[in-house]
Amino acid sequence: MNSNRVKEIKKEDKKAFKSFIIIMIISAIAGGILGGMSIYFKDSLSENLTDFIMNILEAITPFASLVLSLLVIITSCIVYKKLTKELKIWNESDEEDMIDKIEEKLSYILLLSSVNLIMGFFFFGVGFALPSDYLDINLDIVKILSFFGGFILCVASSILIQKKFVNLEKEINPMLKGSVYDTKFSEKWIDSCDEAIKMGIYKSSYKAYRAVTNTCLILWLVCVLGYNVWDFGIMPLFIVTTIWLVQTVAYCLESIKNLKKR
């Protein structure tokens, strides 16, 4: 290796090391403070906070998916109708700026639909996870219908919304292939993308990888504190660690596979 390059690498490491040491010291101090405060939290806040959260979930869980799904459906219908009109105008004028704005709105609706689906699964799980004294839907037919009907509406509407907006994207970009109903939709979609779109997907994927890594680190800290404060037990820490390991190992193995293909 070139000696100048070696010196450059050492200089870069030396410069970064100072910031690294400062971050480690601050993290150690913050960790000590949080560890000490966890005793206070356990004695004064843990029960009150748990009751507060449970009371909120008791009130909103039976109706949350239904309300959220209806809001997403209404928003999607309004935006879809508007986008079809804009797409017709674009076909006649062929303005580049207009199509970029249309695709941006498409992306936001797909994001909204995906978030609604995730929240639907969350509230469905909460409905079964909460103790019966917190969420007693067995005695209320309205809550039962709203709870299960909201979840079904959430899943069905998410699929249909994604189908509509993905098909609209396919009208804009004829080279794109794949049906939302296909189990291999993601693979077919990426294979049909041009290099510019693929590069955008790859950059987004790496950003998502970094976001999940940082989130896992934060959740790990919450689980460690929660072990003492809220008696979480070891399972939440095990789940967070599993997710962290799976996404890290999957990313690294895929990188190795791509290196072999070069």
Side-chain angles (χ1 to χ4, degrees):
M1 185 182 291
N2 189 295
S3 59
N4 291 331
R5 179 56 180 160
V6 172
K7 290 179 180 178
E8 184 181 337
I9 292 171
K10 289 182 177 179
K11 184 179 179 181
E12 187 178 19
D13 285 340
K14 186 177 180 180
K15 183 179 179 181
F17 184 71
K18 295 177 181 178
S19 300
F20 176 76
I21 288 297
I22 294 172
I23 293 172
M24 288 297 102
I25 293 173
I26 293 173
S27 299
I29 294 172
I33 293 172
L34 286 174
M37 290 178 67
S38 66
I39 299 174
Y40 169 76
F41 289 149
K42 184 173 184 178
D43 293 336
S44 61
L45 295 179
S46 59
E47 291 185 5
N48 293 333
L49 184 60
T50 299
D51 289 338
F52 176 71
I53 294 173
M54 289 298 188
N55 289 333
I56 292 176
L57 291 175
E58 176 189 7
I60 68 173
T61 295
F63 311 102
S65 289
L66 180 62
V67 173
L68 288 174
S69 296
L70 289 173
L71 289 174
V72 171
I73 291 170
I74 293 169
T75 303
S76 299
C77 289
I78 294 171
V79 174
Y80 183 81
K81 188 176 181 180
K82 184 178 179 181
L83 289 181
T84 51
K85 291 180 179 179
E86 291 180 357
L87 185 58
K88 185 178 180 180
I89 295 172
W90 173 75
N91 286 328
E92 295 173 355
S93 62
D94 200 28
E95 293 182 20
E96 193 66 30
D97 291 341
M98 180 178 289
I99 199 62
D100 290 339
K101 292 179 181 178
I102 291 174
E103 290 187 307
E104 183 179 346
K105 292 174 183 176
L106 279 170
S107 299
Y108 276 119
I109 291 298
L110 290 173
L111 170 62
L112 187 64
S113 175
S114 298
V115 169
N116 182 51
L117 181 63
I118 293 169
M119 294 307 298
F121 276 98
F122 169 75
F123 284 112
F124 190 72
V126 167
F128 287 100
L130 285 178
S132 58
D133 57 335
Y134 281 113
L135 184 61
D136 188 8
I137 65 172
N138 297 318
L139 302 178
D140 193 330
I141 189 65
V142 175
K143 288 184 178 180
I144 293 175
L145 293 176
S146 177
F147 179 72
F148 287 101
F151 179 70
I152 294 170
L153 181 64
C154 173
V155 175
S157 64
S158 295
I159 294 172
L160 292 174
I161 289 170
Q162 290 185 26
K163 179 187 81 75
K164 281 286 186 181
F165 282 84
V166 165
N167 288 347
L168 197 60
E169 179 68 37
K170 286 158 68 175
E171 288 183 35
I172 298 170
N173 297 292
M175 80 281 191
L176 295 175
K177 307 289 183 184
S179 170
V180 170
Y181 300 130
D182 193 340
T183 55
K184 294 185 177 180
F185 166 70
S186 296
E187 296 175 19
K188 293 180 179 179
W189 184 267
I190 293 176
D191 288 340
S192 65
C193 292
D194 59 22
E195 291 303 316
I197 298 177
K198 284 182 180 179
M199 184 57 65
I201 293 173
Y202 298 153
K203 287 181 178 180
S204 301
S205 299
Y206 180 72
K207 287 285 187 179
Y209 164 77
R210 294 301 308 163
V212 172
T213 298
N214 294 333
T215 302
C216 285
L217 183 59
I218 294 170
L219 289 176
W220 174 86
L221 180 61
V222 171
C223 289
V224 170
L225 292 174
Y227 186 84
N228 293 318
V229 178
W230 293 289
D231 297 322
F232 276 1
I234 203 70
M235 186 54 68
L237 186 61
F238 174 77
I239 293 172
V240 170
T241 304
T242 300
I243 295 171
W244 201 349
L245 278 172
V246 168
Q247 70 109 19
T248 301
V249 171
Y251 177 84
C252 293
L253 289 178
E254 191 63 29
S255 297
I256 294 170
K257 186 190 297 184
N258 290 330
L259 284 172
K260 289 181 178 179
K261 290 179 180 179
R262 291 183 182 178

